[in-house]
Amino acid sequence: MSSPLSELALRRDVLFVGGKGGVGKTAVASALALHAARSGRPTLVVSTDPAHNLGHLWRREVGDTPVELAPLLRGVEIDPARTTEEHLSAVRATMRRLMPEHLEREVDRHLELARDAPGTHEAAVLERIAEVVEQRHPDELVVLDTAPSGHTTRLVALPELMQAWTERLLRRQDRSARFGAALRGLEVDDVAADVVGGSRRPAPDRRARRDAEIRAILDRRQQRFRHLREVLQDPAASGFVVVTAAERLPVLESVELHAQLTRSGMDVAALVVNKRSPADAGELLAARRRLEDGYVEQLRSALPDLPVVQVPLLPGEVVGEAGLEALLAHLL
Ligand SMILES: Nc1ncnc2c1ncn2[C@@H]1O[C@H](COP(=O)(O)OP(=O)(O)OP(=O)(O)O)[C@@H](O)[C@H]1O
Ligand SMILES: [Mg+2]
């Protein structure tokens, strides 16, 4: 039981599984999750790819709230649209409470635009990943089946990005409040309040309170991302498993992914070379096998310290628990 992947599944808190499209990420993520669950560890496998296939693999509906896939094993497919909606309505409620009434329409318009803005979905997925990691039970393993494009490295930079974003948002919010007031030929809230005098709380106070409240909300998010980064950069807590095929492009991309992840302070803990052709099933496959051998060699020399686990091309599809068991036999 001391194979590198078993060790990872039993000891780390959070495992990321990533690689090029179709190489077997979902299958490997599910198999490792099944292994941990069968060893008595509560496990959550999370699909972060908008083109989910966790449900297909397990032959059951998996959605945005966790469902049981096997004893001690739950699965969830993050739905960025739902996350975005929830997020926007929370922001709307907060803004409505904190902004002057006459800006309500402007707030709504702004949020409508935000819904379809580039990056909104990605941000929602990143936020959910941070949430899942934050809410992990103390003994639980979280396995993240990531999208082929691999946004994981960006998670690490998020706390800084959020800081800059928070500051800019607060500055812009001040500016647009003044701009809106000027357009209406009004004075800014605080001046108006001074004129009215006494009848309501002095506006500089209100603004400070509003800013403090918005800042607190944003700080809470930032705290969540900071916690995520701590986990990501702690090799005792988390690790990344790269899945690849022994072919030219997947190999080049895997080496690049490894470099990116390492630069951002994450521990790439193992490499799975999936769907290796058999040497003894005819000349065609034997020729492919020799070709693949070259690529495996290339991987080993580019990444000399990385444990490499090779998995044969299986005769059957990897579907359901039986299929995962067959895969697991080669992973451990
Ligand atoms: N070792 C294997 N032998 C045979 N078939 C395999 C093996 N590993 C995975 N497969 C099959 O390959 C297909 C792709 O696997 P999987 O869905 O896990 O890949 P993926 O990397 O998650 O793909 P995507 O990028 O589309 O999410 C599936 O049909 C799966 O059953
Ligand atoms: Mg997949």
Side-chain angles (χ1 to χ4, degrees):
M1 272 298 166
S2 62
S3 77
L5 289 172
S6 172
E7 191 81 356
L8 286 173
L10 301 184
R11 301 223 189 290
R12 309 265 174 125
D13 299 337
V14 180
L15 284 184
F16 287 84
V17 178
K20 219 171 146 51
V23 291
K25 296 179 294 296
T26 304
V28 169
S30 291
L32 292 178
L34 183 65
H35 172 60
R38 285 187 172 176
S39 309
R41 197 172 180 199
T43 302
L44 179 67
V45 57
V46 183
S47 168
T48 71
D49 186 350
H52 297 295
N53 59 353
L54 194 58
H56 300 148
L57 192 151
W58 284 91
R59 284 209 193 99
R60 78 183 60 173
E61 189 111 347
V62 180
D64 199 59
T65 42
V67 295
E68 183 179 274
L69 299 173
L72 288 183
L73 175 58
R74 295 177 308 147
V76 65
E77 291 179 343
I78 287 178
D79 175 1
R82 191 181 122 173
T83 305
T84 305
E85 282 311 319
E86 273 175 15
H87 189 64
L88 289 180
S89 57
V91 172
R92 180 178 292 116
T94 310
M95 299 283 254
R96 284 230 161 129
R97 205 155 47 79
L98 299 173
M99 304 284 273
E101 226 170 82
H102 66 267
L103 289 181
E104 242 174 49
R105 291 238 330 261
E106 218 162 305
V107 167
D108 281 350
R109 210 160 32 110
H110 184 76
L111 292 178
E112 280 311 312
L113 286 177
R115 169 179 300 132
D116 301 317
T120 295
H121 274 218
E122 194 199 18
V125 172
L126 296 180
E127 174 137 18
R128 280 296 295 285
I129 292 176
E131 194 177 70
V132 162
V133 169
E134 191 182 52
Q135 290 170 354
R136 189 186 68 85
H137 300 297
D139 181 40
E140 194 178 39
L141 168 68
V142 172
V143 183
L144 292 134
D145 170 17
T146 69
S149 55
H151 42 223
T152 317
T153 50
R154 253 178 290 172
L155 286 171
V156 175
L158 271 177
E160 272 72 36
L161 292 178
M162 291 284 292
Q163 179 81 47
W165 187 76
T166 304
E167 297 302 332
R168 205 167 331 138
L169 192 77
L170 288 175
R171 274 204 306 273
R172 206 170 62 184
Q173 177 192 297
D174 269 354
R175 258 207 318 268
S176 73
R178 281 197 200 101
F179 181 64
L183 271 183
R184 286 174 196 81
L186 297 168
E187 288 297 330
V188 197
D189 255 11
D190 42 356
V191 182
D194 283 346
V195 173
V196 174
S199 68
R200 56 181 189 185
R201 175 192 291 271
D205 243 26
R206 270 187 50 204
R207 172 171 304 167
R209 206 163 47 97
R210 183 193 67 195
D211 282 4
E213 220 173 301
I214 293 179
R215 200 182 281 277
I217 291 168
L218 296 173
D219 280 351
R220 229 173 294 134
R221 284 179 84 197
Q222 206 167 343
Q223 186 54 40
R224 178 178 281 168
F225 285 123
R226 222 177 266 137
H227 172 253
L228 178 68
R229 182 173 59 185
E230 268 168 36
V231 172
L232 293 187
Q233 295 187 329
D234 176 2
S238 70
F240 202 102
V241 176
V242 176
V243 184
T244 188
E247 292 167 7
R248 205 174 83 86
L249 284 178
V251 163
L252 291 175
E253 275 190 33
S254 298
V255 173
E256 178 51 31
L257 180 62
H258 178 277
Q260 271 177 21
L261 291 165
T262 306
R263 267 200 304 274
S264 62
M266 285 188 71
D267 178 42
V268 180
L271 177 71
V272 175
V273 182
N274 197 14
K275 306 189 196 181
R276 291 287 328 261
S277 304
D280 54 0
E283 190 38 44
L284 177 80
L285 288 172
R288 276 213 72 86
R289 170 95 193 173
R290 286 191 294 275
L291 196 68
E292 291 167 11
D293 283 342
Y295 287 118
V296 173
E297 260 328 294
Q298 194 178 324
L299 279 169
R300 283 193 201 278
S301 62
L303 311 168
D305 300 323
L306 194 62
V308 174
V309 178
Q310 300 191 54
V311 176
L313 180 69
L314 298 170
E317 243 190 317
V318 183
V319 187
E321 238 182 285
L324 288 172
E325 238 165 64
L327 181 66
L328 204 45
H330 297 281
L331 281 173
L332 301 182

